[in-house]
Amino acid sequence: MDEEKEQQSHNLGQDNENEIVAEGASVVHGEPPNDDNGPPKVDSEVEVLQEKVTKQIMKEGHGQIPSKYSTCFLHYRAWTESTRHKFEDTWNEQRPLELVLGKEKKEMTGLSIGVASMKSGERALLHVGWELAYGKEGSFSFPNVPPMADVLYEVELIGFDETKEGKARSDMTVEERIGAADRRKMDGNVLFKEEKLEEAMQQYEMAIAYMGDDFMFQLFGKYRDMALAVKNPCHLNMSACFIKLKRYEEAIAQCSMVLAEDENNVKALFRRGKARAELGQTDAAREDLLKARKYAPEDKAIARELKSLAEHDKAVYQKQKEIYKGIFGPRPEPKPKHGVIVTQLILIWQWLISLFYRLFKREKHHGD
């Protein structure tokens, strides 16, 4: 435990090879697509992959295409073509699909044909005929797809593992899954140092996919520690990239995943605090940064962020002061009411005259 705290208190600018600072790196371009208006409209050339499957590239990928039995990791959204009803969205669930080419479910035959033609990082729109999708009967459970429905897929291939036997995650031992995730993480770090950040993020996301919630739930003791030693740095590196992208909500989500397992993780506290500050959540940001400073009191990056927050608060106060001053203006000085004073003096004078007159009459009466 003492070694863990000592490691967390290291300067945030001196990450080891597992945790890389991305604040000063170039921008990552990939973003989750927006599907507010249904399937995307794509103008690129239509490529016929098979009689019932066509593809239009939305974003070019890199490297080679996967071979048969490769384990592919992908995000996708799916709509029925006739109704534009969306029935699947892994981006929304933040959980990539694992697909072993050649061993896919029958309803994913058309999707697999499309994925087999894609490079890592490629995003494409696939049109799949009902014969290679959910068939003549459709699906009335989950997902809900009507009979004989052609399907539109928006797909992004995150990456793939070339495996001769096509071994899926569920068939791997604990050590094999952690090892596969660690290799992805190390590949991501190499790409990161080369400033190929989009490709690096794909590797980190694939590494995290090996250690989903269902897998982590089964781990205890040293195996859980081994898995977190790979998983947490991937989340931290993703959060640093999201901050650079100004996608602060996603950066916060990545840091929160780390803090759910390690509530005193300095890097997660620092980056979540920084992201919250950018969103104007100053109280929450200050809470994170002060907690980070507790475990790393000498860290200059934390001190800079706290100073920036204090300056921001001061600027907001001054601005509000000016606004209120402009609305209400300076408090007016009371002006003497000359008319009222004169009137009061006249009344007093009349009262005195009346008093003297009564006294004079009384004395005269006594004298007579």
Side-chain angles (χ1 to χ4, degrees), residues 72-171:
C72 299
F73 298 90
L74 55 133
H75 275 303
Y76 75 98
R77 285 177 171 145
W79 297 263
T80 54
E81 185 182 28
S82 58
T83 63
R84 294 301 200 258
H85 164 66
K86 185 176 74 172
F87 60 86
E88 200 88 76
D89 188 342
T90 64
W91 273 291
N92 225 14
E93 298 165 5
Q94 296 185 350
R95 183 174 296 181
L97 172 71
E98 175 192 3
L99 185 68
V100 179
L101 298 181
K103 293 190 174 184
E104 66 279 346
K105 296 178 182 177
K106 184 179 179 181
E107 63 267 20
M108 290 192 170
T109 303
L111 177 62
S112 295
I113 291 171
V115 171
S117 72
M118 298 172 68
K119 301 176 181 178
S120 294
E122 181 179 326
R123 188 181 296 167
L125 181 67
L126 303 178
H127 179 282
V128 177
W130 61 267
E131 296 90 342
L132 298 179
Y134 288 83
K136 188 175 183 179
E137 301 298 327
S139 173
F140 292 95
S141 56
F142 181 82
N144 185 5
V145 182
M148 301 177 68
D150 292 346
V151 177
L152 294 172
Y153 291 102
E154 181 180 6
V155 186
E156 181 170 349
L157 179 60
I158 301 167
F160 57 89
D161 278 330
E162 293 283 8
T163 51
K164 293 180 180 178
E165 68 279 8
K167 203 168 190 179
R169 285 176 296 177
S170 56
D171 298 328

Side-chain angles (χ1 to χ4, degrees), residues 190-203:
V190 170
L191 291 165
F192 194 100
K193 290 173 183 177
E194 295 173 356
E195 296 194 1
K196 298 177 180 177
L197 296 190
E198 187 172 353
E199 297 173 34
M201 287 186 71
Q202 291 166 357
Q203 296 298 320

Side-chain angles (χ1 to χ4, degrees), residues 194-229:
E194 295 173 356
E195 296 194 1
K196 298 177 180 177
L197 296 190
E198 187 172 353
E199 297 173 34
M201 287 186 71
Q202 291 166 357
Q203 296 298 320
Y204 295 138
E205 192 167 5
M206 288 178 64
I208 293 168
Y210 274 105
M211 293 175 289
D213 293 340
D214 54 342
F215 175 68
M216 296 299 296
F217 184 74
Q218 303 173 47
L219 300 184
F220 299 94
K222 71 172 185 177
Y223 288 112
R224 187 172 183 82
D225 292 340
M226 287 168 59
L228 289 174

